[in-house]
Every structure is written in structure tokens, then in C-alpha cells.
Amino acid sequence: MNKFRQIEAFVSAAEKGSLSRAALEEGVTPAILGRRIDALEKRLGVKLMHRSTRRLALTESGAAFLERCKKLLEDMEQAEKSVSEERSRATGHLIVSAPASFGRKHVAAHAPDFLKANPDVRISFNLSDQVVDLVREGYDMSIRIGGTIDPSLVAVRLFPNHRVVCGTPAYLEKHGVPQTLKDLARHNCLTFNLQGGQQRGWYFRENNKTVTIRTTGNLDCNDGELLHRWCLEGLGLAWRSTWEIQSQLASGELVTVLDKFALSNYDIMAIYPQQSFLPLKTRFFIDYLRTLYAQPGYWTQSA
């Protein structure tokens, strides 16, 4: 018989002064409660209370044992309460990877406000356009934009995003508006040259298939912000995420072309390893970013 149940039965009966009243509160029969107390006395080898049909009377040993048992139950209740509170509060060290430009503007920039609401968390960021191995390198989560996700990872969409080709009205007026993907060969394309990046080409959707278009131009670099700036200066066409250019699209500084070929699945996502229990520090940060990104006007105001 469960030792803890025996102690609960003993304390309840002693405090109520009656097996019947104690059994009623516990939701069991007086006989069951009595057997639990019998088992406790047998295990301890001492008489704890004298029982009759009308009243209970503690022995000297029972009175001393009662005080210790009450303290034990109070400690147990406090321990359960503490664990329950811990389950509703984010704690610990959160290690996050994110693309450099996006991470600076839209992830790490919001960490101070998140920490105000979650003071028991501390966050470390790795802002890089390199894709990290979350498990091997010990990251809790990563922010990624588009791309293929390993099946061993869980992906949560934070906000819809597309990759589009864009340029300034002046550039397009001078060089013409491309109508087909083949037309890109006649344009100065500003490409990202990180290993495994856009040097492999720009990706589009044509005839229900993903196609890769090789692009050429007189400028390339491994910094997304610099490509964005070159595009705004009218130096060529760029393949950019809609999150990055929303304010320029709204103002007319940039316009998109070849929209009918744009990929539909280049969303902003939070990625984390599959696990039976997702720590609150990770879940709360993901929920925080998702709520933030969904606020009306967020992308035009913060671009």
C-alpha cells in the first residue's frame, strides 16, 4: 500500500476526529481508510490512535507523529506548487540562430522586450546566413526563411513570405521589364555569393515545377543589406524577400516583376529539434515573434 496514502489517511482521520468524516472527504469508505491506518501502524510497529465507533484518540506516539506528518504533507504541497509554477514560467539559456540581416532587425532587436516579460531567461544569438546544425551545435531553435527543412526538425510558420524579383522604376524604364524567366539573361542581376546561396541561381515556379535560373551581373556579395541598397540605387535587379522590401513596395521606390513565377513557400519559420517536451523558453519566444509579426503594419513600419 502506498506509504503516502497511509500518512494522508492518518492525518485526515486525526484532524477530523472521525473515520467517517475523514473517509467522506477523501471519497472512500471508512473501512478503506481504517485499513490504511492499520497498515501504517503495522509498518511502524507502534499504536498511533485508539479507535471506537464514536471517536478517535491519539496515543502519545501518535500525537508526536502527527506533527511530523503534517509538516511532511505541507512540504509536499509546497513542492508540487513550486513545480507547477515552474511549468508556467520560462527559464534557462535560449540559444538562437538567425539570418544576419533578418536576425538583427526582426529577432535580436526584440529580445530586450521579451526578457522584460521573461526575466529568468537569457538569450544568445548567432546571426549568420550559414545554415547551422541545430542538434550538433547545440542550438535551441533557428529562424529560417524558405528552403528545405530536415524531417528530423519541426518547422513553425511565423509569417508568410515570398521571394520576388524587384528593381527601381528608373532601372526598369531604362532596361525594360522582363516578361519571361529567360529575359533575366539580359539584365544585371545582383546576386548573393555565400557558398550554397544564390550563385546556384534564383528559384522560381514554372509549369508547376521549381526551376533554377542562372543569373549574371557585375555585382555580387554575401550581405543581404548591401544587395538591397544596390537595388534601391538602381544598379540592377535583385531577388529579395517580401519582408525586406515592404516599405519600398508601398512607397513605389521598388516594383516587382515576374510575380507569376514567384515561389509560394518561402515563409519565415522557427525551426527546432523534435522532442517530447518543448521548453517554455523556446515556445514562449516563438509565440512572441509570431504575435509580433502579425501586428498590422509591422513589416512596413520596421523595414
Side-chain angles (χ1 to χ4, degrees):
M1 187 180 294
N2 187 287
K3 293 181 181 180
F4 190 72
R5 285 285 183 86
Q6 295 171 3
I7 290 174
E8 282 185 318
F10 166 67
V11 172
S12 181
E15 290 183 335
K16 298 295 184 299
S18 164
L19 279 180
S20 298
R21 285 196 294 270
L24 183 62
E25 182 168 300
E26 295 293 319
V28 298
T29 65
I32 290 176
L33 211 64
R35 285 198 293 271
R36 290 176 182 174
I37 296 172
D38 289 339
L40 176 63
E41 290 178 330
K42 182 178 180 181
R43 181 164 57 83
L44 297 176
V46 65
K47 191 69 173 176
L48 297 175
M49 59 174 56
H50 299 292
R51 288 172 276 169
S52 68
T53 55
R54 294 187 176 183
R55 62 187 296 271
L56 301 176
L58 292 173
T59 64
E60 184 177 347
S61 296
F65 188 59
L66 175 64
E67 295 306 311
R68 293 192 174 188
C69 288
K70 288 169 66 174
K71 179 64 167 61
L72 175 65
L73 294 179
E74 289 172 2
D75 289 344
M76 179 64 73
E77 182 179 0
Q78 186 59 40
E80 290 180 346
K81 182 179 179 181
S82 176
V83 170
S84 179
E85 291 176 348
E86 187 73 17
R87 289 180 60 190
S88 63
R89 188 177 75 249
T91 61
H93 187 195
L94 179 64
I95 307 177
V96 182
S97 168
S101 179
F102 185 87
R104 282 193 296 272
K105 292 182 178 180
H106 301 292
V107 184
H110 301 302
D113 285 340
F114 175 79
L115 294 178
K116 288 179 183 177
N118 299 274
D120 296 319
V121 175
R122 70 184 183 97
I123 308 179
S124 294
F125 290 101
N126 173 25
L127 304 182
S128 169
D129 291 314
Q130 296 278 12
V131 176
V132 301
D133 186 321
L134 296 185
V135 176
R136 187 177 65 185
E137 298 182 38
Y139 287 90
D140 293 294
M141 59 173 286
S142 174
I143 304 299
R144 295 185 188 171
I145 302 175
T148 303
I149 305 301
D150 189 289
S152 67
L153 302 175
V154 178
V156 177
R157 189 174 81 162
L158 300 180
F159 199 78
N161 175 68
H162 301 282
R163 275 282 193 176
V164 295
V165 179
C166 60
T168 61
Y171 173 87
L172 293 170
E173 182 178 355
K174 181 177 181 180
H175 299 280
V177 177
Q179 301 297 325
T180 69
L181 296 181
K182 290 181 180 180
D183 290 344
L184 288 175
R186 299 186 290 101
H187 285 268
N188 193 46
C189 296
L190 309 169
T191 55
F192 197 72
N193 66 15
L194 185 69
Q195 183 179 5
Q198 291 176 26
Q199 281 185 328
R200 294 183 178 179
W202 293 354
Y203 301 101
F204 299 93
R205 193 74 175 170
E206 186 177 34
N207 298 325
N208 294 321
K209 295 181 180 179
T210 300
V211 297
T212 304
I213 302 299
R214 294 280 184 176
T215 55
T216 59
N218 61 9
L219 284 171
D220 62 73
C221 69
N222 67 344
D223 186 284
E225 288 188 14
L226 184 53
L227 288 174
H228 187 191
R229 187 194 313 165
W230 286 341
C231 187
L232 284 170
E233 291 173 0
L235 300 180
L237 297 179
W239 189 51
R240 309 308 303 157
S241 281
T242 51
W243 71 260
E244 184 181 15
I245 61 174
Q246 281 296 333
S247 61
Q248 285 84 39
L249 293 179
S251 66
E253 293 176 84
L254 291 176
V255 294
T256 62
V257 296
L258 302 172
D259 291 344
K260 66 180 180 180
F261 301 105
L263 291 176
S264 60
N265 57 345
Y266 235 82
D267 295 330
I268 300 165
M269 298 175 290
I271 311 295
Y272 59 86
Q274 289 190 14
Q275 50 201 296
S276 57
F277 174 74
L278 183 65
L280 291 185
K281 61 183 180 181
T282 306
R283 178 157 63 85
F284 282 11
F285 194 56
I286 289 174
D287 290 345
Y288 173 75
L289 292 177
R290 183 163 48 186
T291 300
L292 192 68
Y293 296 163
Q295 291 178 356
Y298 171 81
W299 295 104
T300 54
Q301 295 169 7
S302 59

